[in-house]
Amino acid sequence: RASQTLTNNEYYTLRQTAIKVVRHLGVVGEYNIQYAVNPQSFEYYIIEVNPRLSRSSALASKATGYPLAYVAAKLALGARTSEHQKCGYEDYICLF
């Protein structure tokens, strides 16, 4: 089971909706979608869509020294994934 409060069907419906939304919006990187769901009818609405880095991303960035938040910010500002740029951190090269 993928969720403690939703049936598998409900979970996968919301998951597929999220995938469609981020593809439509052109989201690159991590994001968070908040839903309002009526538990009786399973009618749902999207409340908000936010780009985000999780707390574990900050931990991974610190542990590896790789600037994940910096890369995410560059992508959010329109950098293309095919560009090769210096990150500004030590000798790392970010592949956007």
Side-chain angles (χ1 to χ4, degrees), residues 1-8 10-11:
R1 193 158 206 211
S3 171
Q4 293 180 0
T5 58
L6 301 171
T7 67
N8 282 342
E10 291 168 341
Y11 172 83

Side-chain angles (χ1 to χ4, degrees), residues 56-68:
S56 59
S57 296
L59 178 62
S61 186
K62 186 168 185 146
T64 63
Y66 192 79
L68 294 172

Side-chain angles (χ1 to χ4, degrees), residues 38-71:
N38 180 331
Q40 281 77 40
S41 67
F42 195 65
E43 181 178 28
Y44 63 91
Y45 297 91
I46 295 172
I47 299 172
E48 61 183 0
V49 178
N50 298 312
R52 70 183 289 249
L53 281 174
S54 66
R55 291 184 302 271
S56 59
S57 296
L59 178 62
S61 186
K62 186 168 185 146
T64 63
Y66 192 79
L68 294 172
Y70 180 84
V71 172

